Amino acid sequence: MTCSSEPILEVRNLHIDFTTEEGRLPVLCGLSYALPKGRVLAVVGESGSGKTVHALSVLRLLPPNAHVSEGEICYKGQNLALLSEGELRRIRGGKISMIFQDPAASLNPVLTIGQQLTETLLAHRKISKEEARRQAARLLEKVGIVGAAKRLEEYPFQFSGGMCQRVMIAMALALSPDVLIADEPTTALDVTVQAQILRLIKQLQAESGMSAVFITHNLAVAAAVADEVLVLYAGRCMEQAPAEQLFKNPLHPYTQGLLNSLAPLHQKVDELPVIAGHPPVPGKTQAGCPFAPRCPFVSEKCRKSCPPLFEENGRKTRCWLREVHA
Ligand SMILES: Nc1ncnc2c1ncn2[C@@H]1O[C@H](COP(=O)(O)OP(=O)(O)OP(=O)(O)O)[C@@H](O)[C@H]1O
Ligand SMILES: [Mg+2]
């Protein structure tokens, strides 16, 4: 099937389940979004909501027991599932690149930073080794590493966590991708470094005009980087809206709960209200809205049937309370 060519990345009705000893566990249930060129979408959700699984599926990096049972992912109108491995390799890194959560684990400890950066460049570009080294040094400078040419000789263990993450950003940007997928890129870092790295990603994104999917469990991080926010819960989009509107006027009770329990980005706060209860375990969900057991506004209808995404004024909300407004 061909996809609309307008958005740079489009996820349509994506269903993914895992085959496990307990049977087939649904992890993503009909996720859809369209990412326009130059825009940043934040995908926000609690642990286990399916954020990483969705990111891995975009680059066809899912583990073997994962199964895409329905839906498609299109890059510039091409259905990624239909590409050959060779075509996909050109897209991975070159057109769509990813930053993973743990920077230290993503770098190879036995290769210097320079070797890793030049390898990425040489694998995709027809340039000499000397040119690759020059470009690698420029990339390190761009991500704020002082004395870049010298630091190319160093190994990852000689870099702090924040600096390793800067290197990962440099690697992800090395081939000027159209789309950057950043999976919790600042979670492993302390709060001040988090803010610096977020500013850096946002600045580089704005300069280059690339699009980005920014995955985070932290709504404050989403507020700092995103144009649009998609709130994921138990593998379903519960709310999607332009960032400003979502923060000013969250419509879904889950988003309202997340915002109430939000600590300011640069502060550690001990006492915040939390949403009582836990998200459902995959495979154990009953009929009805997955948030119903935790929702302060739950009604009989919510327990019986899962609401669709109601659309109103460019926003989408999966809640029966919005039915009358849509
Ligand atoms: N290889 C696997 N086999 C079976 N289940 C898996 C596998 N990988 C992930 N899952 C399940 O898929 C669900 C979604 O996982 P995912 O890693 O996408 O969550 P996440 O939203 O990224 O969470 P976190 O914030 O902790 O990173 C979880 O319930 C997880 O247990
Ligand atoms: Mg994850």
Side-chain angles (χ1 to χ4, degrees), residues 73-299:
I73 301 169
C74 300
Y75 164 72
K76 286 189 171 169
Q78 284 175 294
N79 184 344
L80 293 176
L82 303 179
L83 298 187
S84 68
E85 264 306 315
E87 290 170 319
L88 196 68
R89 256 198 307 279
R90 277 194 290 281
I91 287 191
R92 263 188 220 134
K95 303 290 182 198
I96 306 178
S97 67
M98 189 154 168
I99 306 177
F100 294 93
Q101 180 163 350
D102 184 354
S106 309
L107 288 168
N108 187 334
V110 299
L111 295 180
T112 65
I113 298 296
Q115 283 168 323
Q116 301 190 52
L117 270 168
T118 50
E119 252 177 35
T120 305
L121 289 162
L122 289 169
H124 288 262
R125 296 260 194 273
K126 286 193 178 66
I127 49 172
S128 66
K129 274 194 171 165
E130 291 69 40
E131 178 54 25
R133 252 188 119 63
R134 271 195 294 275
Q135 290 190 12
R138 271 206 298 278
L139 279 164
L140 278 195
E141 273 163 26
K142 204 168 170 182
V143 297
I145 292 183
V146 185
K150 233 162 133 201
R151 301 220 64 167
L152 287 176
E153 311 299 330
E154 293 181 359
Y155 290 87
F157 76 88
Q158 293 168 287
F159 280 58
S160 67
M163 291 218 302
C164 283
Q165 195 55 297
R166 284 174 191 265
V167 173
M168 290 311 299
I169 295 167
M171 296 249 245
L173 300 181
L175 303 166
S176 312
D178 292 330
V179 181
L180 173 71
I181 301 178
D183 188 2
E184 307 250 17
T186 61
T187 308
L189 308 172
D190 70 52
V191 279
T192 357
V193 184
Q194 265 190 33
Q196 290 167 3
I197 297 285
L198 285 180
R199 266 200 303 276
L200 174 67
I201 296 178
K202 184 72 195 149
Q203 174 210 329
L204 296 172
Q205 180 273 327
E207 273 172 22
S208 66
M210 71 181 169
S211 315
V213 180
F214 208 96
I215 294 174
T216 176
H217 62 271
N218 186 336
L219 270 176
V221 168
V225 297
D227 301 301
E228 178 100 3
V229 179
L230 187 157
V231 179
L232 198 63
Y233 186 79
R236 285 184 181 81
C237 169
M238 300 310 256
E239 177 160 9
Q240 186 180 346
E244 210 176 304
Q245 291 181 32
L246 185 121
F247 292 108
K248 221 189 278 167
N249 180 25
L251 297 181
H252 198 286
Y254 178 56
T255 318
Q256 291 163 5
L258 284 179
L259 277 174
N260 287 337
S261 58
L262 186 64
L265 191 54
H266 307 291
Q267 269 168 267
K268 281 218 176 309
V269 181
D270 291 332
E271 297 265 326
L272 281 167
V274 289
I275 309 172
H278 301 282
V281 176
K284 303 267 190 298
T285 32
Q286 287 118 30
C289 174
F291 188 59
R294 302 170 81 185
C295 183
F297 306 106
V298 64
S299 69

